Amino acid sequence: VLSYTNEDEVSKVLRNLKNKKTPVTRNNQLNSKMLLANNEPFLVDIFNKSIDQGVFPSSLKLAKVIHLYKKGDYSNPENYRPISLLSCLSKVYEHLLFKRMLVFCNKNKILSSKQFGFRAKMSCINAIISVTEYMRDEIDRKSTGQA
């Protein structure tokens, strides 16, 4: 069971959001700082109901898709990549759920020790070190005849 959130946690996540305009609906935009205006109790209620029911609200699944130029000829569509701009609410909820899912996975030892991405204190460097150590161990094992 995932734990509920509270006003302090929601406030902290909101404060840490980048202060950019993100789409809420097709024609409406909302600045993340606007959400701080005494809406934490309302947001906590929505997020906790969603956690309780195990449902991600459909309205938070809406995204505005834009195309970012990568390189090459500007007129070639293959030189662009799509990105999805999510609403502030969606980002806050995603952050809250990620934190809870990570706690759940760590508590229940679900993640492999070889899972490096999206984990605190784990990076590409850790993955490279792990592979390098494995290769060195295998070379040492074969050179000593422990096949």
Side-chain angles (χ1 to χ4, degrees), residues 5 12 41 43 56 82 84 94 96 106:
T5 189
K12 183 179 177 184
L43 297 174
F56 190 81
S84 298
E94 179 181 324
L96 297 171
N106 288 336

Side-chain angles (χ1 to χ4, degrees), residues 114 116 125-141:
K114 304 299 181 199
F116 297 100
I125 300 296
N126 297 105
I128 292 168
I129 290 169
S130 177
V131 169
T132 304
E133 287 177 356
Y134 174 78
M135 291 169 42
R136 186 176 50 234
D137 290 345
E138 285 299 305
I139 291 169
D140 289 347
R141 187 177 61 79

